[in-house]
Amino acid sequence: MACASHGSVVRGDSPAAYFQAQVSNSLDYIKLHKGHGARVVGIMCEYTPRELIMAAGGIPVCLCGGSGEMVEPAERVLPSNLCSLIKSTFGYSLEKSNPFLEMADLIVAETTCDGKKKMYELLGQQYPMHVLELPQKPDDPDAFAHWVRELMKLKIALEKRFSIVITDEKLRNAIRLMNRERKLKRGLAELMKCEVPPLTGRDLLDMKSLVACMPKDQLQYENALKTLPTRVQDTSAGQGVRVLLTGVPLPHGAERVMDIIEGHGGVVVCQENCSGIKPVLEDISEDAPDMIHAIAAKYFHLPCSVMTPNTKRMELLLQLSREYQAQCVIELVWRTCITYDVESACVKRLVEDEMNIPYLRIETDYAPSDSARIALRVQSLFETVSARGSSQESSLKGCCHD
Amino acid sequence: MDRLQQITLEECDAAYGQWLSYGGQAPRYGGRLSRHVKDGNKGIERLKFDNSAVAMNLWNFLLTEEERLREARSAGKKLIGTMKDLGTLPVMVYAHPGLVAFYPDGAWWIPCLMDENDRLLEVADQLGVDGTFCPVRAMLAAFVTGDHFPAPDMLICSVGATCDDFSAIAQRVEGLGNPILWWELPHRRALGHDETGIELPGGACAAKDQIDFVKDEMTRIIRVMADTVGASVTDDMIVHGISEANKVRACLAELRLTIFTADIAPLPALELLVAEMMAIHFCSDRDEVLVVLSGLLELVQQRVAAGVGYLGPDSVRVFWINPVADLRVMNMLEECGGRICGTEYLFTHALDQIPTHIPPREALARMALADPMAGAAQDRARRICADIKRFGSEAVIISRIPGASHCALEGVVIKETIRSIFDIPVVEIEVPPVSDTFQASLRTRLSALIEIAKGQRKRK
Amino acid sequence: MTSAPSTERSRKKVIYSSPYIPAEWIAAHGLEPNRMACLSYDRSLFVSAPVNVEAGVCPYMRGFINQASSDTRVQAIILTTTCDQMRRGADLISLYSHIPCFLMHVPASWETSGVNRLFLRELERLGEFLVSLGGVKPQPDELAATMRTYDEKRKKLMAQQGMVSGKDFAQKLACFAETGNVTDGREQYVPGEKCIPVGFIGSPLTGNHFDLFDVFSEYGASVAFNATETGERVLPARFDLRRLKDEPMHVLAESYFSSFPDIGERPNNRIFMWMKDRVRDHHVRGVVLIRYMWCDKWHAEAQRFRESLSVPLLDIEIDGEQIGERTRNRIQAFMEGLR
């Protein structure tokens, strides 16, 4: 038996138990393959095209920091008024305590927000790094063309660094693998569409892998897809107010707010963020004549708040709220994350005026000192949802009278 | 009418030997009281005791608590240090067979029992918690030295409507590396204009939302306890626990009533104080405490039936408020001609029956809120006055605990309330943990009180 | 619902003792909040009907109650359960005074949503009390407007920190607490080159003890920060103006409860971390713990402050009277040690 980090006991051979040991599983995998000559490439954003890295014989590993303990070391160098995710990621590098980072042969990063961009400069002084310039106008053909060129440069840089040629065949293969992984993850996410989902949002989040296309991970995804729909329901899992969680990503170790939401009567049925469904919604055509172009398109479509205008995100939120029958939207913003913070005004308007459901913005960081206040606000939100639900029910009942 | 005499420790040992030779059966913790002196409890050499084997059992039971805690640990049980709430949480903790609860607060008596040879107060001084604090500062030192009770597996402490010095000392305990689960006990407030109150055991009233809040705190404690020590306490277990606790409380209630209403005092004040203290955490053995108290009750009933007791029917009936840090003062009361006829040792809620007609967590919540220290001093005073009337007390002693943050002002309220209703003398005394230098003045004040009460008797 | 009463009607003074009481909540009800700065020196409680008890009575509580109960403009007194002395003080007021008194439970624990909700409920209950005094329950936008006003004032006040001397700033804080007004800054204060920066922490520092600043100044100190219970430490966090419109009560409760670290909260590790940051940020070379006699919560932690801070600590006990010679000597010795 293993104990889930959030308290429940799980069967030793279940997908949940497997993913609880995610870090050690990933580490074992990386060590094994590195020993056989594979290259480890650290990534820090969903804009990084895994396919290119895999086609170069690399193993993409996520390096985003989720530990609050790494923030303090980072603050010796970085300003304190910076996003916790950035500080935590950097803090790991100072403490040399992220084994994946220490094993990385290369780090690929993008110029997403200003904070990350400048942090990468400092990180690049310690580790080999390739920075992609991400254009931020998603509807501009010139911007897209620039992005394609950036990916071409990455391809060349990978070939040069790893002394390998990235052939079309290798690219196609990588696309196939990643499409498969995305499909499996979509399938798992779609389980949350059920009236009583067979798992919680936290369970789903725990299944987000650190390493792209790890065979054992994919096996467990398949396992989960087979077993979860038929699972005998634990009465507490999967029940509660249906929450669409949007905003910033929740890296491994930074799941506090998710736990608060689901510990106080909610179930996060959909995670419209980069640690959720957003990066896996779109696949790449395996038959595309120009695969770099196709890869660039898929990744460029990702509606992060750094993009302007970010209308695709609003459309996506509307679509997901309907598909997943969300009863409310909670937007999580890491303190000082300017782009998500400013964009939250649009999200609020969208949710309240068009979706007509309650909205709550939570601004916090990795320090747990405000957990109680957040919990109270979440509880109040759920009370509002329940009250609305009751009045809608009674008005519906009223409607049914002859 | 036979007058009983209290006996010294030496006489206790002699009587014990005699009792054994007559075929007396000692419990497993029994033995000559003097062995506790060898263990360091030199303070008991200066006490006077009830002359019965039953009383010896009581003292042996009290003074072997630390051994029991260590045995429980060796047997694989988890020790839960419950702090401050005095009576409620142990009911929940004992509901689980794998758990034992005790109050580290009880360390406040160690300096008295060990005649300061424990050096606990000295250690507390070194930690910056000096004599201006309540004697419970000995508890802080006990955590540091580790010489008295085994380090608990978990500490739970109530805060909010609790006294400052205890709160400050408990925080220091945590600051020294002993994690504490803090739970909030709200100040039991007066009801709002449109609020319906719920009557609590003991007669006080509380608002429903306060009871619901404390009930949620009980639920939280249960959950954290399960996570921390791996013991899940279910509602069914708590129901049984309440039932067992109520047996102890019923026995104590009967004991107190018998003693307070008897024509002559069938049990000395000191033994009654010790017996009452058993209510709060059963002296770490919920089953055995009932045996001890039942024995005491039987003894007292026999003495009352036989017209046997201490002092005489002319001894002044005294209501005692607040426990004393120096146990000798309880002997002093009888030496001055007074007898205990009513007590309020800060935990009367631990003496009341826990409701059984409501869900168990709510029952515990009501019990916690019934704490006399959780509400206004006027509430406490009202209950004291009701008991004064019930037991016919002729004088009141308010024993101030030196350094205790609540005593200075609470005493004023209680005194004024009593004086407004009764025409009986009320005196406030301060009793430090070792009152050697104050013995004479304390004796004078107690004697004066007794004289005044007797004088008033004549006038009525 | 009508808005706050016209300014022509004289506003009744609602006295409060604790930084956990939101002045804007009282003001939004049309009443005048006043956290008294100067207290009575009388040594017996309730001057009009003296209760003679000194031992064990906190001088701050005594001074506060005496001052409050003898001021004819006081319409009500609000106390909190943050300390036992005040909690019992409420008992005494109900026994010896006709002034309506409200005792607000401020939770000591802060880490659960339950206590956060409890604090919010207590604010609501306080509101009911204020209405019973003749106040008018504010609409959410009225409350939000009052909160914005106070937030702006605090911002203006804090902008003056460091620009004026420690004593001047303490006086400004006291004036703001008493009247809700922010006095303008004088000429910029520049501490002397040889001045040694120190920080204050501890019990409420009332107008009766502002001469402490002068004494420290006399011996070469400049007070870089005032973390006492009347200092800048206990100003509430800035309001989240984006949430003010929709949930002003929640914003108010969050800013006042657990946004500033306090010695009485359980657990209270935050204040030690906070102090370390202040010592570092203000480059102070010494810290002065100022506490009232019988104030257990500060007294018990003196040693812990001493051990956790990287600078020397001076522990001063005050008894409600003027600063005595002994205290002056200790301050002098402390400052000499810092040189």
Side-chain angles (χ1 to χ4, degrees), chain B residues 126-128 132-133 163-165 167 171-172 174 184 187 189 209 373 375-378 405-406 408-409 416, chain C residues 55 61 83-84 87-88 91-92 94 96 103 105 107-109 114 121 125 266-268 296-297 299-301 303:
Chain B
Q126 286 163 10
L127 292 166
T132 59
F133 286 86
C163 54
D164 285 353
D165 39 4
S167 173
Q171 178 61 75
R172 285 300 303 276
E174 187 182 59
E184 189 81 21
H187 174 83
R189 54 179 173 76
D209 64 355
M373 305 302 291
Q378 282 88 332
S405 55
H406 57 94
L409 301 173
E416 290 307 307
Chain C
M61 188 279 287
C83 83
D84 223 12
R87 193 158 75 102
R88 297 305 168 200
D91 291 344
L92 288 184
S94 65
Y96 291 107
L103 179 65
H105 183 82
S109 58
R121 176 70 195 113
R125 217 170 55 83
R266 298 289 176 256
N268 72 356
D296 293 327
K297 288 184 175 174
H299 188 180
E301 301 287 17
Q303 190 174 15

Side-chain angles (χ1 to χ4, degrees), chain A residues 259-321:
Chain A
D259 290 340
I260 291 173
I261 293 169
E262 295 198 321
H264 287 84
V267 58
V268 176
V269 294
C270 181
Q271 300 170 49
E272 186 280 337
N273 51 27
C274 286
S275 44
I277 203 172
K278 199 152 67 177
V280 303
L281 281 172
E282 192 180 331
D283 286 333
I284 303 170
S285 168
E286 289 158 36
D287 303 320
D290 182 343
M291 275 173 287
I292 295 290
H293 192 278
I295 291 170
K298 177 261 177 306
Y299 282 94
F300 202 54
H301 290 159
L302 193 68
C304 175
S305 62
V306 299
M307 295 303 205
T308 180
N310 198 17
T311 42
K312 284 196 178 68
R313 184 178 169 216
M314 306 303 144
E315 289 161 8
L316 180 60
L317 281 169
L318 208 51
Q319 174 200 329
L320 291 173
S321 75

Side-chain angles (χ1 to χ4, degrees), chain C residues 187-201:
Chain C
E187 285 176 17
Q188 180 160 356
Y189 163 74
V190 178
E193 261 181 32
K194 294 189 178 164
C195 267
I196 298 171
V198 298
F200 281 0
I201 188 161

Side-chain angles (χ1 to χ4, degrees), chain B residues 403-425:
Chain B
S405 55
H406 57 94
C407 278
L409 301 173
E410 224 190 3
V412 169
V413 174
I414 294 173
K415 208 159 54 175
E416 290 307 307
T417 308
I418 294 171
R419 282 180 177 157
S420 70
I421 300 172
F422 301 102
D423 181 24
I424 56 176

Side-chain angles (χ1 to χ4, degrees), chain A residues 264 341-342 344-345 348 352 360-361 363 368-377 379-380 383, chain C residues 110-118 120 240 242-243 246-247 250 253-255 257-259 270:
Chain A
H264 287 84
D341 208 358
V342 173
S344 67
K348 180 177 191 302
E352 289 178 346
L360 176 70
R361 183 178 65 87
E363 190 186 338
S369 56
D370 59 356
S371 291
R373 291 203 291 274
I374 293 172
L376 181 61
R377 294 179 64 210
Q379 284 172 329
S380 301
E383 279 162 21
Chain C
W110 54 275
E111 294 179 305
T112 66
S113 60
V115 293
N116 279 267
R117 187 189 290 274
L118 177 61
L120 186 60
D240 184 345
R242 278 181 287 182
R243 290 172 52 207
D246 295 329
E247 37 177 357
H250 274 263
E254 280 173 30
S255 289
F257 182 62
S258 77
S259 77
R270 293 194 308 164

